[in-house]
Amino acid sequence: MKIKIGTRGSKLALWQAYYVEDKLKANGIETEIVIIETKGDKILDRALSKIGSKGVFTEELEDQLRSGEIDIAVHSAKDLQSELADDLELIAFTEREKIADVLVSFNKNLSLGSGESFVVGTSSTRRVAMLRHFYPHIKIVDMRGNLQTRLRKLEEGQCDALLLAYAGVHRMGYHEMIAQELPTTQFTPPVGQGCVAIEAAKSLSEEKRAAIRNLINDDVTEKCLKAERAYLRKLQGGCSIPSFGWCVAEEKDGELTLNMTSGIISLDGQVIVKKNESKPAAEAEQLGEVLAEQVLSDGGAEVLEGIKNNG
């Protein structure tokens, strides 16, 4: 058996692809890495919200899944659109890394809560909105590009710090640059943060599909991601929507229970709608849908409408 692994070409994307490849190789499966450039990699002079959130980092990989040029595509789960085409599916989720956002800087003394005004670079509408809400004294600049490109811009002085996901910083070995780990009570992560997802065409052979699920998939993470993605799907959210959703699994009386916090924040940071709910793991998707309904009915629909009108 040989499995062709499609991936974007950034160092972080390749780390994810090699991580998956190593697990397959360790079990005797032959592999090949296929590097594919996406629209999100090519267009770096505009914010993600301005180039359309649907499939910015996935469309080209999905085309090659359909053609059979690759067997699987490896993605950061947070980059995936909320709804996949009917002929595609997610077949595995890796065990989750720590999900926090972190402030990265050459100046380890920087802290968002210090009251000091400095410039933070980020391309995330969620992080921008949360900075505006919790730390309005902070100046924000749009910062696109892969992690190494952003760090180069930081070194050039285009900003004083970057706001990034811990997972990417950790995987690339930049721990020493973390000035502050942000509390998830404020900076609740986006759906899928910290997890690597494996996408395939539904036409993939059952033999390959079973092998990949058996060697890659983490059952608990999969249940949490199903809840989170159901929330995003019901919300009709994407990369340009400042929504958040984080599900945690807990063992209670011998049964797995999912506890999820999710919500949405207005672009100017003035309005946050946040809800929390729990359900048995068997009802993962219902959990996400119920939370989306709660968020929408408690002001989230108006926030979404304002975002669409602004765009």
Side-chain angles (χ1 to χ4, degrees):
M1 186 191 298
K2 179 178 180 179
I3 293 175
K4 291 187 175 182
I5 304 167
T7 177
R8 295 163 60 202
S10 72
K11 285 186 178 181
L12 182 54
L14 286 169
W15 183 97
Q16 295 173 163
Y18 291 136
Y19 175 77
V20 169
E21 180 182 58
D22 288 346
K23 285 183 175 292
L24 296 175
K25 275 185 171 179
N27 287 272
I29 295 175
E30 187 184 352
T31 61
E32 179 185 341
I33 299 280
V34 180
I35 297 173
I36 301 162
E37 192 175 33
T38 70
K39 183 164 62 174
D41 299 310
K42 296 172 187 173
I43 304 173
L44 298 176
D45 59 348
R46 278 175 280 162
L48 287 176
S49 57
K50 302 299 181 188
I51 58 175
S53 60
K54 192 171 183 181
V56 168
F57 294 116
T58 60
E59 188 176 349
E60 290 80 0
L61 283 89
E62 290 177 338
D63 287 344
Q64 294 204 24
L65 286 173
R66 292 186 175 100
S67 67
E69 292 170 80
I70 58 174
D71 294 304
I72 59 173
V74 178
H75 305 285
S76 288
K78 68 181 176 64
D79 288 339
L80 283 165
Q81 58 269 41
S82 55
E83 292 186 84
L84 300 184
D86 290 341
D87 58 343
L88 302 171
E89 62 181 340
L90 299 179
I91 62 170
F93 298 90
T94 67
E95 186 176 359
R96 205 168 208 169
E97 181 60 82
K98 185 190 289 188
I99 53 79
D101 285 340
V102 290
L103 193 70
V104 169
S105 178
F106 292 105
N107 179 0
K108 292 292 291 290
N109 295 318
L110 286 183
S111 170
L112 293 176
S114 67
E116 177 188 357
S117 181
F118 54 89
V119 181
V120 172
T122 177
S123 62
S124 159
T125 57
R126 176 188 61 89
R127 290 178 181 135
V128 168
M130 287 176 170
L131 283 170
R132 286 172 175 163
H133 181 85
F134 293 109
Y135 304 104
H137 61 285
I138 295 295
K139 297 171 186 172
I140 306 165
V141 293
D142 187 62
M143 196 65 63
R144 287 285 318 285
N146 62 42
L147 183 53
Q148 285 70 29
T149 299
R150 295 186 202 197
L151 288 170
R152 176 178 53 76
K153 291 178 179 180
L154 175 65
E155 194 169 12
E156 290 170 355
Q158 295 186 32
C159 59
D160 300 306
L162 297 167
L163 200 48
L164 301 164
Y166 171 87
V169 175
H170 170 68
R171 288 165 181 163
M172 291 291 94
Y174 293 115
H175 315 79
E176 74 283 355
M177 292 185 66
I178 297 176
Q180 183 183 8
E181 184 175 312
L182 303 180
T184 53
T185 50
Q186 288 184 345
F187 282 75
T188 309
V191 165
Q193 183 153 297
C195 175
V196 178
I198 310 299
E199 186 181 20
K202 288 181 178 176
S203 57
L204 183 70
S205 76
E206 187 52 42
E207 182 188 16
K208 288 184 178 181
R209 186 183 187 279
I212 291 161
R213 275 191 64 78
N214 183 48
L215 298 173
I216 306 296
N217 193 58
D218 181 78
D219 290 339
V220 173
T221 302
E222 180 179 37
K223 289 178 174 65
C224 291
L225 265 288
K226 281 189 172 180
E228 292 177 17
R229 287 183 56 77
Y231 166 73
L232 195 64
R233 191 163 55 245
K234 187 82 172 178
L235 203 69
Q236 290 289 297
C239 296
S240 60
I241 302 297
S243 64
F244 49 90
W246 177 33
C247 184
V248 178
E250 299 170 324
E251 192 83 31
K252 283 185 180 177
D253 302 323
E255 289 191 4
L256 198 64
T257 297
L258 302 182
N259 183 275
M260 185 166 161
T261 299
S262 56
I264 190 167
I265 180 169
S266 61
L267 294 173
D268 61 7
Q270 295 299 303
V271 180
I272 295 183
V273 182
K274 183 185 262 191
K275 298 293 178 183
N276 182 271
E277 190 70 62
S278 297
K279 278 189 181 294
E283 299 174 35
E285 296 198 2
Q286 293 97 310
L287 173 60
E289 290 169 1
V290 164
L291 275 164
E293 287 166 2
Q294 290 179 5
V295 167
L296 288 169
S297 64
D298 197 28
E302 288 79 6
V303 172
L304 267 177
E305 189 62 30
I307 291 166
K308 289 170 184 172
N309 291 338
N310 187 74

